[in-house]
């Protein structure tokens, strides 16, 4: 189905849980509430017409007001693409793990925890892997993170 | 007689090792001679590329993208440029699109030649490494002629490419394609039917397709297990829908099939390059209105993905309307393949682990960023 | 006894030397000691030079197969590169692990080196050029080439390193397993010739050039192929060099050795390679037989041809896994060589050997 068909299908079947956003370019982007994450993800994977069995990416974003976790999905059989994001509060961000649905989310979620400090519930192995084992300087990818030697580039002359 | 007490012991295939491609540490739990558990320990190459990108303008990020995946740095530049173009909604000129396709496919061939050489070297045949790199030198000469660099090209920019090709590029490119086609027959004759090669690779490290899809494995590793998924055909970007090529698929999912799939892909890339060279139009090679300093795409977010020689390479880009990206999240194919390795790489000897690790063609910068 | 040798034969030089020493009038037991002492020293010198030559030659062959030149700087086409490497290894620090088993660690490379040289006492380098023509020559060689197993085990144990021990055990298991097909291939030739003496075996192949060699007979050809395969494994060369390959985790028995001790293992490997090639030449390719050229030149040419074959194997084939290696030896080579031996016995009985 084409992108517009996909939008209509999602609106009709998942309209109550997935709200369409217009900041997404090129592929449809939706917003999802954190408490519906696991059931909607499972439904998206198992739905006969969608079959989103391939989790491409989980990215975390720190807009300075809140945290977002963006899930990019694809279907290997149906040539479809979908993105949705879950918005979390800035203090104590927490999200469920989708490891039971897409086991490939394991390391993506570990990275989210390690670099942003987003707590992942039900994750089997939340340990450090990218940063050194004795890292104690906070969560580097957050926008308010600073380090003594983190040098900001000067604005280029135009 | 009571059963002999045995215990498992951990063997460390350390970060410095001739067989791990880059600095990857594999902790192997062995029961006698068999490998029972593999635990990859990564992070030795973490350079915080994503954080650095937030501090640079869009065009200044391109050299960082080169280093994100330096074996196929054209693809790395491409994925970021594609994401930027989605955000800015610019139309890239025809000539630039064709040039991009030629460069991407040449880079794919170069990467697969490295794979051929390094895999053969890991299994013990020391000579094909030199043959693969000899052909890669010809491709690198083409790149050097165009953009001046041999490894990190900084060539594909948002809005087009950075320079036009010199006039001697097209005939030399055709020569190179002809040479590679003929040498590929030699390569296949050297290793494909060799009983030792078959004994080391056939039936080793079989990855079931469902495991691959659920872990997000893509690229030649997934296609060797029978799943016919190629982003160039299924979700075409950058005029790939105009070219006629087959998707290389094999069905057994062992190391031998992963090797064969990549050799098939080299042949298909040669086809694509020839078609692109035939159809190369005249025209602009970049969009004029993207000024590297003041380029400010409208606020928004997008996820762009391309088919790299290692699988799906993706870039999730968030823009807030300034001239610097707000968030860049990079996804490399090797990340997911290394994640899936413990689930299909066990059960053999250490020599098998070496063979499997070589056949999935992991590049550590993609994993660690 | 005086035999007349052709003009360019080296045996004339040795006869002259022998006569010279006899004429000095040294009493009998000391005369033998002096003669054999000199012979041993000369043999050692020749083999050391040969080992250096082989190392250089291997690097040139490897380079040319890989479309590059190999050593080019030290002398014309790098001919004294090996000497430079030996000097470099001599002045390297001898790194000694504190917890090693001192005598075992020290003697392992010595035994490896000495065992490599012991086999040359019975190999005929040309007409009349054999140090001692034992009438059980081949049996002696088989016994002596097994000495290297001891040095492998000693190296693995003495390093006090569990990976070196594993590597040493694997090497030892490999060498011992491939002894069986090697010996049985040699036995096939013995059945044809009827004598264990090396010189007799060579003399049995004199006659028509090539057509009288043992390799031409079909059973002799099979024996040659199995012998070369088993010999490659004996010499721990690719495709059978998993125990000492760098790409494998278990690094091999010589991982803790550095400097000159390592050089001894390394040179012993090359001398071993020459030994098995020399045995192959003597048994299958007619030894020093051949027209026009002096006999020692023929011997050298034939042996170097076999050595070239072994080198080509190394730079072409991938390597076998350890379990595949052992499977190949016991499940394939041993039955084939035994069947060949039985057929050879039948052929000899029926007179099908000329």
């Amino acid at each position: 189905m084409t992108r517009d068909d996909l939008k209509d299908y999602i609106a009709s079947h998942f309209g109550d849980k997935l709200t369409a956003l217009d900041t997404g370019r090129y592929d449809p982007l939706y917003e999802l509430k954190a408490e519906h994450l696991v059931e909607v993800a499972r439904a998206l994977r198992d739905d006969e017409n969608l079959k989103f069995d391939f989790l491409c990416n989980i990215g975390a974003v720190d807009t300075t007001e809140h945290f977002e976790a963006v899930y990019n999905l694809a279907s290997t059989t149906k040539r479809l693409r979908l993105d949705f994001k879950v918005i979390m509060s800035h203090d104590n961000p927490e999200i469920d793990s989708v490891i039971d649905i897409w086991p490939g989310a394991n390391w993506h979620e570990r990275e989210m925890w390690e670099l942003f400090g987003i707590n992942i519930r039900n994750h089997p192995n939340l340990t450090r892997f990218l940063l050194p084992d004795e890292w104690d300087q906070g969560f580097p990818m957050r926008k308010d993170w600073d380090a003594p030697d983190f040098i900001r580039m000067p604005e280029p002359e135009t | 007689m009571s059963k002999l007490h045995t215990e498992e012991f951990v063997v460390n295939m350390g970060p410095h090792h001739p067989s791990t491609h880059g600095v990857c540490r594999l902790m192997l739990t062995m029961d006698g001679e068999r490998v029972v558990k593999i635990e990859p320990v990564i992070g030795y190459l973490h350079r915080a590329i994503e954080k650095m990108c937030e501090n640079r303008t869009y065009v200044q990020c391109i050299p960082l993208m080169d280093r994100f995946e330096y074996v196929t740095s054209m693809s790395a530049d491409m994925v970021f440029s594609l994401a930027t173009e989605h955000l800015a909604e610019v139309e890239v000129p025809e000539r630039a699109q064709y040039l991009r396709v030629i460069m991407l496919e040449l880079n794919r061939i170069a990467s697969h030649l490295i794979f051929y050489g390094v895999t053969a070297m890991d299994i013990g045949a020391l000579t094909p490494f030199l043959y693969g790199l000899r052909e890669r030198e010809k491709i690198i000469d083409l790149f050097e002629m165009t953009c001046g660099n041999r490894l990190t090209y900084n060539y594909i920019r948002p809005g087009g490419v950075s320079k036009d090709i010199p006039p001697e590029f097209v005939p030399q490119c055709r020569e190179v394609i002809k040479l590679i086609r003929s040498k590929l027959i030699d390569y296949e004759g050297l290793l494909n039917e060799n009983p030792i090669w078959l004994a080391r690779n056939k039936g080793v490290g079989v990855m079931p397709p469902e495991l691959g899809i659920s872990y997000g494995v893509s690229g030649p590793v997934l296609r060797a297990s029978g799943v016919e998924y190629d982003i160039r055909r299924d979700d075409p970007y950058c005029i790939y829908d105009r070219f006629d090529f087959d998707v290389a698929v094999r069905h057994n999912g062992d190391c031998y099939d992963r090797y064969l799939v990549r050799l098939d892909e080299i042949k298909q890339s040669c086809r694509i390059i020839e078609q692109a060279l035939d159809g190369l139009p005249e025209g602009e090679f970049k969009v004029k209105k993207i000024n590297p300093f003041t380029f400010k795409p409208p606020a928004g977010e997008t996820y762009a993905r391309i088919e790299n020689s290692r699988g799906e390479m993706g870039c999730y880009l968030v823009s807030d309307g300034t001239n610097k990206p707000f968030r860049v999240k990079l996804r490399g194919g090797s990340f997911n393949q290394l994640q899936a390795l413990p689930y299909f790489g066990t059960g053999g000897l250490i020599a098998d682990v070496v063979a499997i690790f070589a056949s999935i063609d992991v590049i550590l910068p993609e994993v660690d960023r | 006894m005086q035999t007349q040798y052709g003009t360019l034969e080296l045996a004339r030089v040795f006869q002259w030397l022998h006569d010279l020493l006899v004429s000095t009038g040294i009493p009998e037991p000391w005369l033998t000691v002096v003669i054999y002492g000199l012979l041993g020293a000369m043999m050692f010198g020749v083999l050391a030079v040969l080992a250096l030559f082989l190392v250089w030659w291997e690097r040139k062959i490897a380079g040319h197969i890989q479309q590059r030149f190999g050593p080019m700087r030290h002398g014309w086409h790098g001919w004294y590169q090996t000497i430079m490497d030996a000097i470099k290894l001599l002045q390297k620090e001898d790194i000694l692990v504190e917890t090693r088993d001192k005598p075992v660690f020290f003697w392992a490379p010595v035994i490896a080196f000495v065992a490599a040289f012991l086999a040359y006492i019975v190999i005929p380098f040309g007409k009349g050029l054999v140090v001692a023509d034992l009438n059980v020559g081949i049996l002696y060689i088989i016994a002596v080439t097994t000495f290297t197993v001891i040095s492998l085990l000693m190296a693995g144990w003495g390093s006090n390193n569990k990976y070196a021990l594993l590597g040493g055990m694997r090497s030892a298991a490999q060498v011992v397993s491939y002894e069986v097909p090697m010996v049985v291939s040699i036995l096939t030739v013995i059945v044809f010739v009827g004598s264990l003496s090396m010189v007799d075996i060579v003399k049995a192949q004199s006659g028509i050039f090539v057509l009288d060699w043992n390799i031409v007979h079909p059973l002799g050809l099979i024996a040659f192929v199995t012998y070369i395969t088993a010999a490659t494994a004996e010499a721990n060369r690719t495709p059978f060099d998993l125990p000492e390959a760098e790409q494998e985790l278990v690094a091999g028995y010589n991982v803790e050795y550095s400097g000159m001790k390592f050089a001894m293992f390394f040179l012993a490997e090359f001398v071993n390679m020459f030994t098995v090639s020399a045995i192959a030449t003597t048994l299958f390719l007619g030894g020093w037989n051949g027209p026009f050229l002096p006999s020692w030149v023929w011997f050298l040419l034939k042996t170097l041809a076999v050595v070239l074959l072994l080198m080509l194997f190394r730079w072409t084939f991938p390597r076998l896994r350890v379990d595949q290696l052992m499977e190949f030896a016991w499940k394939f080579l041993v039955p084939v060589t035994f069947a060949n031996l039985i057929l050879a016995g039948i052929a000899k009985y029926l007179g099908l050997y000329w």
Side-chain angles (χ1 to χ4, degrees):
Chain A
M1 48 172 98
T2 65
R3 281 199 181 85
D4 295 316
D5 291 343
L6 177 64
K7 286 187 181 146
D8 298 334
Y9 189 88
I10 298 282
S12 60
H13 283 73
F14 297 93
D16 49 339
K17 310 231 172 53
L18 287 171
T19 10
L21 295 176
D22 57 353
T23 48
R25 307 270 172 264
Y26 199 72
D27 282 310
L29 179 66
Y30 293 92
E31 189 193 322
L32 185 59
K33 290 268 181 300
E35 54 265 16
H36 301 304
L37 172 61
V38 178
E39 61 170 289
V40 171
R42 197 184 300 273
L44 282 174
R45 186 194 65 174
D46 297 334
D47 187 296
E48 289 308 312
N49 297 321
L50 297 178
K51 284 238 172 286
F52 280 117
D53 51 1
F54 194 85
L55 175 69
C56 301
N57 190 20
I58 307 179
V61 187
D62 175 14
T63 60
T64 35
E65 298 113 38
H66 53 251
F67 280 110
E68 299 175 354
V70 184
Y71 292 73
N72 306 110
L73 307 175
S75 166
T76 52
T77 40
K78 305 266 179 205
R79 300 187 176 204
L80 296 170
R81 274 265 301 121
L82 185 80
D83 301 335
F84 64 83
K85 64 162 93 169
V86 176
I87 300 193
M88 296 161 272
S89 67
H90 210 265
D91 24 75
N92 209 10
E94 263 205 333
I95 204 172
D96 284 315
S97 169
V98 290
I99 247 181
D100 301 320
I101 307 166
W102 298 290
N106 193 337
W107 279 16
H108 290 282
E109 291 176 346
R110 240 169 118 182
E111 186 187 337
M112 270 208 303
W113 167 79
E114 182 176 23
L115 295 178
F116 281 89
I118 298 174
N119 186 22
I120 317 282
R121 295 188 279 257
N122 303 328
H123 193 281
N125 184 21
L126 221 50
T127 50
R128 298 209 165 280
F129 67 154
L130 286 178
L131 296 172
D133 288 334
E134 56 281 346
W135 182 264
D136 57 354
Q137 299 175 39
F139 301 112
M141 286 298 284
R142 291 192 177 188
K143 287 290 179 185
D144 52 2
W145 182 82
D146 215 343
D149 49 357
F150 185 54
I151 300 170
R152 301 212 175 264
M153 297 254 301
E155 289 295 321
E157 333 269 324
T158 41
Chain B
M1 177 157 117
S2 66
K3 203 157 178 300
L4 262 179
H5 170 70
T6 57
E7 57 181 55
E8 301 177 338
F9 63 100
V10 175
V11 162
N12 178 34
M13 227 162 127
H16 296 288
H17 188 87
S19 284
T20 57
H21 304 219
V23 271
C24 173
R25 187 169 166 213
L26 293 176
M27 315 267 286
L28 309 169
T29 310
M30 320 261 308
D31 179 17
E33 286 274 354
R34 301 264 147 197
V35 174
V36 167
K37 197 166 90 123
I38 302 178
E39 191 194 322
V41 176
I42 62 173
Y44 292 92
L45 209 50
H46 181 67
R47 296 153 292 169
I49 284 188
E50 297 173 356
K51 185 84 177 174
M52 284 200 283
C53 279
E54 292 174 10
N55 213 8
R56 283 160 175 69
T57 63
Y58 282 87
V59 177
Q60 285 175 331
C61 284
I62 298 283
L64 285 176
M65 293 296 130
D66 279 334
R67 278 115 185 119
F68 160 57
E69 220 290 37
Y70 48 68
V71 180
T72 49
S73 49
M74 290 285 187
S75 314
D77 296 344
M78 175 73 193
V79 71
F80 187 78
S81 306
L82 196 61
T84 318
E85 284 150 20
H86 285 171
L87 282 180
E89 278 159 7
V90 292
E91 189 67 38
V92 179
E94 283 283 305
R95 185 173 172 83
Q97 302 269 41
Y98 274 85
L99 285 178
R100 282 179 172 187
V101 168
I102 295 172
M103 294 302 169
L104 286 171
E105 293 304 315
L106 279 174
N107 214 347
R108 189 188 310 270
I109 298 178
S111 167
H112 285 328
L113 284 171
I114 294 185
F115 159 79
Y116 170 76
V118 171
T119 306
M121 194 166 71
D122 282 345
I123 307 265
L126 304 160
T127 311
F129 181 65
L130 287 251
Y131 294 161
L133 263 79
R134 177 189 61 190
E135 264 62 72
R136 182 176 168 263
E137 276 298 306
K138 305 277 188 297
I139 300 183
I140 302 285
D141 285 341
L142 285 173
F143 287 144
E144 190 177 354
M145 179 199 299
T146 315
C147 60
N149 270 332
R150 285 167 52 93
L151 190 68
T152 50
Y153 307 116
N154 199 6
Y155 185 64
I156 298 184
R157 308 274 177 89
V161 294
S162 71
K163 293 190 181 60
D164 207 349
I165 51 173
E168 55 266 19
F169 183 91
V170 175
Q172 192 164 331
C173 192
R174 286 193 205 271
E175 285 291 318
V176 168
I177 298 293
K178 213 160 63 175
L179 176 76
I180 287 180
R181 276 222 167 100
S182 70
K183 290 294 180 190
L184 211 55
I185 303 174
D186 283 344
Y187 298 163
E188 292 183 333
L190 186 59
L191 286 179
N192 273 20
E193 301 290 321
N194 188 328
I196 305 179
W197 186 256
L198 288 171
R200 284 298 294 268
N201 281 337
K202 227 173 180 9
V204 171
V206 178
M207 186 182 83
E210 305 79 35
L211 181 85
I213 297 179
S214 65
Y215 275 90
V217 173
S218 52
V221 181
L222 191 64
R223 287 199 281 279
S225 296
V227 179
E228 210 176 310
Y229 184 58
D230 185 335
I231 300 178
R232 290 176 291 176
R233 191 198 55 188
D234 294 334
D235 195 2
Y237 53 96
C238 183
I239 66 165
Y240 268 103
D241 40 4
R242 292 191 212 171
F243 298 115
D244 175 37
F245 63 97
D246 300 320
V247 172
V249 167
R250 300 267 166 175
H251 297 278
N252 290 330
D254 54 11
C255 292
Y256 186 60
D257 279 356
R258 291 194 269 269
Y259 158 80
L260 285 178
V261 162
R262 289 188 176 98
L263 289 186
D264 290 340
E265 280 196 3
I266 297 183
K267 293 185 196 129
Q268 298 303 321
S269 290
C270 289
R271 271 175 79 180
I272 298 179
I273 297 178
E274 281 177 348
Q275 291 169 43
L277 286 173
D278 290 336
L280 187 63
E282 295 301 320
E284 288 295 319
F285 58 89
K286 69 167 154 203
V287 174
K288 283 284 190 253
K289 71 177 173 112
I290 295 190
N291 178 334
F293 298 109
T294 59
F295 171 54
K296 289 188 175 63
E301 48 206 292
T302 183
Y303 178 72
R305 59 198 201 128
I306 63 168
E307 178 78 22
N308 187 17
S309 57
R310 276 163 193 84
E312 174 185 326
M313 183 187 269
C315 173
Y316 175 68
L317 189 59
V318 177
S319 157
D320 58 350
T322 60
N323 64 346
K324 300 200 172 102
F326 186 74
R327 166 81 166 117
V328 176
K329 165 88 167 73
L330 299 165
R331 180 245 202 242
S334 314
F335 191 74
N336 291 59
Q337 280 148 23
L338 201 52
Q339 209 186 151
L341 177 65
Y343 299 95
F344 67 93
T346 53
L349 306 176
I350 295 188
D352 289 335
V353 171
V354 171
I356 299 172
F357 196 78
S359 76
I360 60 177
D361 200 13
V362 169
I363 283 284
L364 261 300
E366 258 190 336
V367 175
D368 289 341
R369 277 159 277 133
Chain C
M1 61 212 78
Q2 299 288 74
T3 23
Q4 273 305 94
Y5 292 107
T7 22
L8 280 176
E9 291 289 341
L10 272 181
R12 291 166 68 114
V13 175
F14 284 99
Q15 250 183 344
W16 174 81
L17 271 173
H18 183 260
D19 294 339
L20 184 68
L21 284 170
V22 165
S23 69
T24 53
I26 305 175
E28 201 15 67
W30 302 115
L31 184 63
T32 323
V33 167
V34 165
I35 289 179
Y36 281 102
L38 269 180
L39 270 177
M42 264 192 267
M43 179 67 66
F44 187 81
V46 164
L47 286 173
V49 169
L50 212 52
L52 292 182
F53 166 74
L54 282 179
V55 172
W56 169 82
W57 204 37
E58 162 123 47
R59 288 174 69 167
K60 291 302 276 187
I61 299 274
H64 283 277
I65 292 181
Q66 294 172 351
Q67 269 218 314
R68 54 185 180 92
F69 282 115
M72 290 290 281
R73 283 184 184 264
H74 293 286
W76 178 81
H77 277 263
W79 69 267
Y80 61 90
Q81 174 80 40
T82 325
I83 304 176
M84 290 293 158
D85 283 339
I87 296 176
K88 176 199 82 170
L89 278 172
L90 269 174
Q91 44 107 3
K92 266 199 192 292
E93 176 193 352
D94 194 14
I95 301 175
L96 297 170
V97 181
E98 264 308 306
T99 50
R100 73 190 187 284
D101 192 340
K102 291 192 178 49
V104 173
F105 188 81
F106 175 78
W107 286 103
V110 175
I111 291 187
F113 203 55
V114 165
F117 283 88
L118 278 176
Y120 285 93
I121 297 178
V122 292
I123 292 183
F125 281 86
K127 225 184 266 186
L129 286 176
V130 56
V131 175
D133 181 17
L134 299 178
N135 58 350
V136 287
I138 268 291
L139 185 62
Y140 168 78
I141 285 192
I142 295 173
V144 148
T145 50
T146 319
F147 249 121
T148 46
V149 178
I150 300 180
S151 75
L152 296 176
L153 288 171
M154 283 172 72
W157 175 264
S159 304
N160 197 23
N161 176 347
K162 71 176 152 192
Y163 303 132
L165 182 62
L166 273 176
M169 303 284 265
R170 276 200 195 146
S171 286
Q174 177 186 317
V175 170
V176 165
S177 308
Y178 278 90
E179 288 272 332
V180 177
M182 190 168 96
V183 168
V184 178
S185 312
I186 294 176
L187 276 178
T188 313
V189 172
I190 307 296
V191 160
F192 282 150
V193 171
S195 157
L196 287 174
S197 155
M198 297 284 267
V199 176
D200 284 347
I201 297 175
V202 173
K203 284 199 176 131
Q205 296 176 72
S206 58
I208 319 171
F209 180 64
V210 176
L211 290 182
D212 250 351
W213 294 354
N214 279 333
I215 194 176
V216 173
H217 195 277
L219 297 177
L221 182 61
I222 298 177
F224 177 70
V225 169
T226 52
Y227 175 78
I228 285 292
T229 317
T232 325
E234 286 284 312
N236 263 341
R237 308 241 335 147
T238 322
F240 303 107
D241 69 345
L242 199 97
E244 57 182 44
E246 311 104 38
Q247 282 91 12
E248 299 308 316
L249 185 63
V250 180
Y253 55 89
N254 53 9
V255 66
E256 295 281 356
Y257 286 93
S258 63
M260 207 54 205
K261 295 200 172 80
F262 174 74
M264 297 218 143
F265 275 118
F266 191 62
L267 285 176
E269 179 185 321
F270 279 88
V271 172
N272 258 330
M273 190 168 66
F274 194 79
T275 311
V276 296
S277 311
I279 300 172
T281 309
T282 316
L283 293 177
F284 296 100
L285 295 177
W288 37 255
N289 288 312
F292 311 123
L293 295 171
S295 60
W296 52 277
V297 173
W298 272 117
F299 176 81
L300 263 181
L301 284 178
K302 291 178 194 176
T303 313
L304 287 179
V306 180
V307 167
L308 179 66
L309 187 66
L310 289 181
M311 286 183 182
L312 288 178
F313 284 167
R314 179 174 185 188
W315 297 104
T316 315
F317 294 135
R319 62 173 69 94
L320 283 173
R321 225 171 46 203
V322 161
D323 58 332
Q324 292 165 343
L325 207 145
M326 304 294 276
E327 206 179 296
F328 178 65
W330 291 103
K331 290 192 191 168
F332 180 73
L333 271 188
V334 165
V336 162
T337 45
F338 271 105
N340 199 26
L341 179 66
I342 295 173
L343 286 176
I346 298 175
K348 176 78 174 179
Y349 180 71
L350 295 178
L352 291 172
Y353 174 72
W354 45 83

